[in-house]
Coordinates of all heavy atoms in Angstrom, one line a residue:
A506 N -26.2 65.0 -31.1 CA -27.1 63.8 -31.0 C -26.4 62.6 -31.6 O -26.5 61.5 -31.0 CB -28.4 64.1 -31.7
R507 N -25.7 62.7 -32.7 CA -25.0 61.6 -33.3 C -23.8 61.1 -32.4 O -23.6 59.9 -32.3 CB -24.5 62.0 -34.7 CG -25.6 61.9 -35.7 CD -25.0 62.0 -37.1 NE -26.0 61.8 -38.1 CZ -25.7 61.7 -39.4 NH1 -24.5 61.8 -39.8 NH2 -26.6 61.5 -40.3
V508 N -23.1 62.0 -31.7 CA -22.1 61.6 -30.8 C -22.6 60.9 -29.7 O -22.1 59.8 -29.3 CB -21.3 62.9 -30.3 CG1 -20.3 62.5 -29.2 CG2 -20.5 63.5 -31.5
K509 N -23.8 61.3 -29.1 CA -24.4 60.6 -28.0 C -24.8 59.2 -28.4 O -24.7 58.2 -27.7 CB -25.6 61.4 -27.5 CG -25.2 62.6 -26.6 CD -26.5 63.3 -26.2 CE -26.1 64.6 -25.4 NZ -27.3 65.4 -25.0
E510 N -25.4 59.1 -29.6 CA -25.8 57.8 -30.2 C -24.6 56.9 -30.3 O -24.7 55.7 -30.0 CB -26.5 58.0 -31.5 CG -27.0 56.7 -32.2 CD -27.6 57.0 -33.5 OE1 -27.9 58.1 -33.9 OE2 -27.8 56.0 -34.2
L511 N -23.5 57.4 -30.8 CA -22.3 56.7 -31.0 C -21.8 56.1 -29.6 O -21.5 55.0 -29.5 CB -21.2 57.6 -31.6 CG -19.9 57.0 -31.9 CD1 -20.0 56.0 -33.1 CD2 -18.9 58.1 -32.2
L512 N -21.8 57.0 -28.6 CA -21.4 56.6 -27.3 C -22.3 55.5 -26.7 O -21.9 54.6 -26.1 CB -21.3 57.8 -26.4 CG -20.2 58.8 -26.8 CD1 -20.3 60.0 -25.9 CD2 -18.8 58.2 -26.7
Q513 N -23.6 55.7 -26.9 CA -24.6 54.7 -26.4 C -24.4 53.4 -27.1 O -24.6 52.3 -26.5 CB -26.0 55.2 -26.6 CG -26.4 56.4 -25.7 CD -27.7 57.1 -26.1 OE1 -28.2 56.9 -27.1 NE2 -28.1 57.9 -25.1
N514 N -24.1 53.4 -28.4 CA -23.8 52.2 -29.1 C -22.6 51.4 -28.6 O -22.6 50.2 -28.5 CB -23.7 52.4 -30.6 CG -25.0 52.7 -31.3 OD1 -26.1 52.3 -30.8 ND2 -25.0 53.4 -32.4
V515 N -21.6 52.2 -28.2 CA -20.4 51.6 -27.6 C -20.8 51.0 -26.2 O -20.5 49.8 -25.9 CB -19.2 52.6 -27.4 CG1 -18.1 52.0 -26.6 CG2 -18.7 53.0 -28.8
R516 N -21.5 51.7 -25.4 CA -21.9 51.3 -24.1 C -22.8 50.0 -24.2 O -22.6 49.1 -23.4 CB -22.7 52.3 -23.3 CG -23.1 51.9 -21.9 CD -23.7 52.9 -21.1 NE -24.7 53.8 -21.8 CZ -25.2 54.8 -21.3 NH1 -24.9 55.2 -20.1 NH2 -26.1 55.5 -22.0
S517 N -23.7 49.9 -25.2 CA -24.6 48.8 -25.3 C -23.9 47.6 -26.0 O -24.5 46.5 -26.0 CB -25.8 49.2 -26.1 OG -25.5 49.4 -27.5
G518 N -22.7 47.8 -26.6 CA -22.0 46.7 -27.3 C -22.3 46.6 -28.7 O -21.8 45.7 -29.4
R519 N -23.2 47.5 -29.3 CA -23.5 47.4 -30.7 C -22.4 47.9 -31.6 O -22.4 47.7 -32.8 CB -24.8 48.2 -31.0 CG -26.1 47.6 -30.4 CD -27.3 48.4 -30.9 NE -27.3 49.7 -30.4 CZ -28.1 50.2 -29.4 NH1 -28.9 49.3 -28.8 NH2 -28.1 51.4 -29.1
L520 N -21.4 48.6 -30.9 CA -20.3 49.2 -31.7 C -19.0 49.0 -30.8 O -19.1 49.3 -29.6 CB -20.5 50.7 -32.0 CG -19.6 51.4 -32.9 CD1 -19.7 50.8 -34.3 CD2 -19.9 52.9 -32.9
T521 N -17.9 48.7 -31.4 CA -16.7 48.5 -30.6 C -16.1 49.9 -30.4 O -16.4 50.9 -31.2 CB -15.7 47.6 -31.3 OG1 -15.2 48.3 -32.5 CG2 -16.2 46.3 -31.7
A522 N -15.3 50.0 -29.4 CA -14.6 51.3 -29.1 C -13.7 51.6 -30.3 O -13.6 52.8 -30.6 CB -13.8 51.1 -27.8
D523 N -13.0 50.7 -30.9 CA -12.2 50.9 -32.0 C -13.0 51.5 -33.2 O -12.5 52.5 -33.9 CB -11.4 49.7 -32.5 CG -10.3 49.3 -31.5 OD1 -9.9 50.2 -30.8 OD2 -9.9 48.1 -31.5
A524 N -14.2 51.0 -33.5 CA -15.0 51.5 -34.6 C -15.5 52.9 -34.2 O -15.5 53.8 -35.1 CB -16.2 50.6 -34.8
A525 N -15.8 53.2 -33.0 CA -16.2 54.5 -32.6 C -15.0 55.5 -32.8 O -15.2 56.6 -33.2 CB -16.7 54.5 -31.2
L526 N -13.9 55.1 -32.4 CA -12.7 55.9 -32.5 C -12.4 56.2 -34.0 O -12.1 57.4 -34.3 CB -11.5 55.2 -31.9 CG -10.2 56.0 -31.9 CD1 -10.3 57.3 -31.2 CD2 -9.0 55.1 -31.3
R527 N -12.6 55.3 -34.9 CA -12.4 55.5 -36.3 C -13.4 56.6 -36.8 O -13.0 57.5 -37.6 CB -12.5 54.3 -37.1 CG -11.3 53.4 -37.1 CD -11.4 52.3 -38.2 NE -12.5 51.4 -38.0 CZ -12.5 50.3 -37.1 NH1 -11.5 50.0 -36.4 NH2 -13.6 49.5 -37.0
R528 N -14.6 56.5 -36.3 CA -15.6 57.5 -36.7 C -15.3 58.9 -36.2 O -15.4 59.9 -36.9 CB -17.0 57.1 -36.3 CG -17.6 55.9 -37.0 CD -19.0 55.7 -36.7 NE -19.5 54.4 -37.2 CZ -20.6 53.9 -37.0 NH1 -21.5 54.5 -36.3 NH2 -21.0 52.7 -37.6
L529 N -14.8 58.9 -35.0 CA -14.5 60.2 -34.4 C -13.3 60.8 -35.1 O -13.2 62.1 -35.3 CB -14.2 60.1 -32.9 CG -15.5 59.8 -32.1 CD1 -15.1 59.5 -30.6 CD2 -16.5 61.0 -32.1
K530 N -12.3 60.0 -35.5 CA -11.1 60.5 -36.2 C -11.5 61.1 -37.6 O -10.9 62.0 -38.0 CB -10.1 59.4 -36.4 CG -9.3 59.1 -35.2 CD -8.3 58.0 -35.5 CE -7.4 57.7 -34.3 NZ -6.4 56.7 -34.6
S531 N -12.6 60.6 -38.2 CA -13.0 61.1 -39.5 C -13.6 62.5 -39.4 O -14.0 63.0 -40.4 CB -14.0 60.1 -40.1 OG -15.2 60.2 -39.5
L532 N -13.8 63.0 -38.2 CA -14.4 64.3 -38.0 C -13.4 65.5 -38.3 O -13.8 66.6 -38.3 CB -15.0 64.5 -36.6 CG -16.2 63.6 -36.3 CD1 -16.6 63.8 -34.9 CD2 -17.3 63.9 -37.3
S533 N -12.2 65.2 -38.6 CA -11.2 66.3 -38.8 C -11.5 66.9 -40.1 O -12.5 66.7 -40.8 CB -9.8 65.7 -38.7 OG -9.7 64.7 -39.8
I534 N -10.6 67.7 -40.6 CA -10.7 68.4 -41.9 C -10.6 67.3 -43.0 O -9.6 66.5 -43.0 CB -9.6 69.5 -42.0 CG1 -9.7 70.5 -40.9 CG2 -9.6 70.1 -43.4 CD1 -10.9 71.4 -41.0
H535 N -11.5 67.4 -43.9 CA -11.5 66.4 -45.0 C -10.9 67.2 -46.2 O -11.5 68.1 -46.8 CB -12.9 65.9 -45.3 CG -12.9 64.9 -46.4 ND1 -14.1 64.6 -47.1 CD2 -12.0 64.0 -46.9 CE1 -13.8 63.7 -48.0 NE2 -12.6 63.3 -47.9
D536 N -9.7 66.8 -46.6 CA -9.0 67.5 -47.7 C -9.4 66.9 -49.1 O -9.1 65.7 -49.3 CB -7.5 67.5 -47.5 CG -6.7 68.4 -48.5 OD1 -7.3 68.9 -49.5 OD2 -5.5 68.6 -48.2
L537 N -10.1 67.7 -49.9 CA -10.5 67.2 -51.2 C -9.6 67.6 -52.3 O -9.9 67.6 -53.5 CB -12.0 67.7 -51.5 CG -13.0 67.2 -50.6 CD1 -14.4 67.9 -50.8 CD2 -13.2 65.7 -50.7
S538 N -8.5 68.2 -52.0 CA -7.4 68.8 -52.8 C -7.8 70.2 -53.3 O -7.0 71.1 -53.4 CB -7.0 67.9 -54.0 OG -8.0 67.8 -55.0

């Protein structure tokens, strides 16, 4: 649901493609040490 919302925000212009890409990149493994 959040990914769909993200894509809809890009389509509507509320979010840039670069900002969406940054959010998607943050979905990888988060290393807390």
Side-chain angles (χ1 to χ4, degrees):
R507 282 191 172 187
V508 171
K509 285 180 184 178
E510 180 183 348
L511 182 73
L512 294 172
Q513 289 168 348
N514 285 337
V515 170
R516 181 173 44 187
S517 70
R519 288 189 297 258
L520 190 67
T521 67
D523 287 338
L526 182 60
R527 280 192 300 277
R528 287 188 191 177
L529 291 172
K530 282 182 177 181
S531 74
L532 291 178
S533 64
I534 301 295
H535 185 203
D536 191 346
L537 298 172
S538 76

